[in-house]
Amino acid sequence: ADGIVFCIDVVEGLTKVATRLLIRCIGTGLPIILCLTKIDRLILELKVPPNFAYMKMLYIVQEFNRCLHQNQYPNRISPEEFNVVFTSAHFLLCFTLESIGNMYGSKSPDYSMQINDDPHVRSVDQFKEVHRPSAKEISIRLWGDHRLSADRKEILSSSSNELDHPFVKFVLDPIYKVFTHVLSFEPEIWSKKLHVELSSSEKRLNTAPLLRIALSRIFGPFSSFVQVVYNKLPPPIDRTKESEFGPKP
């Protein structure tokens, strides 16, 4: 094996059986990726609000790291470290904080010009330079002690419960919105609201396949999972050389 993808059902959490399995995985010395699965169950079965869903997943990540630390695993596993994947295989939903950042931010930090059309403004003040955050700048602020400012224009370092959490605002709210629209409206209506193009044959499909289409087209394919494996697990050829010639000095 080259690495471990440890899957946890977000409803079940880190059970005693899963904890024993995790301890054995730590003992192998292989790098570990965490995959939080079946997030659709939080919406369709438990019917919990987005804030509770975030707290549930946050607790699982904290418990997971507590077990890692107690068993001397050297690395921290957390979404902002880009070694956690969120999935709902049944509805073809897969994302990481990195893939969400790519949806909202630019690929590299850059600036754009904002024009003030007020004729009374001096010409020198008519153009304002506006910073567009990069995808990574957004990604690392979507988890943990960060909150949206009161005007929702900035992500702050804060743990205040009075402010909205960016993971809820930018990740969970849109997912809940997709489920609500697809379950509540006809395809011709929700496809326009969600900006998802559907063919004539797709519009005649049942709700479950339509949810798969909407979620996969909005949040992207499972390439985000492949990207985490590529970035965080060693290439197979490295493990083969190590097994043949022993570990590198």
Side-chain angles (χ1 to χ4, degrees):
D2 307 305
I4 296 168
V5 178
F6 199 93
C7 300
I8 298 179
D9 184 322
V10 292
V11 173
E12 303 296 331
L14 189 63
T15 63
K16 291 183 178 180
V17 173
T19 300
R20 290 197 294 268
L21 178 60
L22 178 58
I23 293 172
R24 295 196 63 177
C25 290
I26 295 170
T28 65
L30 295 173
I32 299 174
I33 290 172
L34 174 60
C35 182
L36 297 179
T37 67
K38 302 181 181 180
I39 61 176
D40 57 282
R41 294 186 65 192
L42 296 171
I43 304 170
L44 299 178
E45 293 183 26
L46 298 187
K47 295 181 172 60
V48 298
N51 280 317
F52 184 91
Y54 167 71
M55 295 304 297
K56 173 71 172 173
M57 289 186 280
L58 176 64
Y59 178 77
I60 293 173
V61 172
Q62 291 173 340
E63 288 295 298
F64 191 82
N65 278 282
R66 186 174 293 111
C67 182
L68 295 178
H69 179 72
Q70 290 173 349
N71 292 274
Q72 288 78 50
Y73 184 78
N75 301 324
R76 179 169 173 265
I77 304 296
S78 190
E80 73 271 23
E81 300 289 340
F82 306 134
N83 50 20
V84 176
V85 186
F86 303 84
T87 68
S88 169
H90 181 67
F91 289 109
L92 301 182
L93 173 64
C94 179
F95 63 90
T96 63
L97 292 197
E98 184 176 20
S99 68
I100 296 295
N102 289 331
M103 290 174 56
Y104 290 105
S106 60
K107 293 184 179 179
S108 60
D110 62 353
Y111 292 84
S112 61
M113 301 305 295
Q114 187 179 73
I115 301 176
N116 189 333
D117 294 327
D118 188 348
H120 302 291
V121 174
R122 294 183 307 165
S123 59
V124 70
D125 297 326
Q126 190 173 11
F127 298 96
K128 179 183 178 182
E129 198 173 45
V130 179
H131 174 64
R132 295 178 58 203
S134 69
K136 186 174 182 180
E137 286 178 318
I138 294 176
S139 300
I140 60 177
R141 290 173 173 82
L142 291 177
W143 192 266
D145 290 335
H146 293 93
R147 297 293 187 274
L148 283 174
S149 59
D151 57 7
R152 298 195 172 192
K153 293 182 178 180
E154 187 179 1
I155 299 178
L156 310 172
S157 294
S158 171
S159 58
S160 172
N161 292 326
E162 297 179 358
L163 298 174
D164 293 331
H165 197 282
F167 188 82
V168 174
K169 174 64 177 178
F170 295 117
V171 183
L172 293 179
D173 279 353
I175 293 174
Y176 274 66
K177 181 178 179 180
V178 172
F179 274 90
T180 301
H181 278 61
V182 175
L183 293 172
S184 304
F185 299 103
E186 292 296 323
E188 291 187 0
I189 298 175
W190 67 253
S191 61
K192 293 179 181 179
K193 290 178 177 288
L194 300 178
H195 305 287
V196 175
E197 292 187 7
L198 296 175
S199 65
S200 299
S201 59
E202 288 174 337
K203 291 179 180 178
R204 294 193 293 269
L205 294 173
N206 293 327
T207 302
L210 284 173
L211 273 169
R212 297 186 188 107
I213 290 172
L215 290 167
S216 61
R217 290 181 182 173
I218 293 173
F219 292 94
F222 271 68
S223 57
S224 55
F225 173 81
V226 177
Q227 190 66 46
V228 172
V229 172
Y230 177 81
N231 291 338
K232 297 300 180 180
L233 299 185
I237 189 171
D238 290 353
R239 299 291 304 180
T240 302
K241 289 180 179 179
E242 184 174 314
S243 62
E244 290 179 353
F245 305 106
K248 296 179 182 179

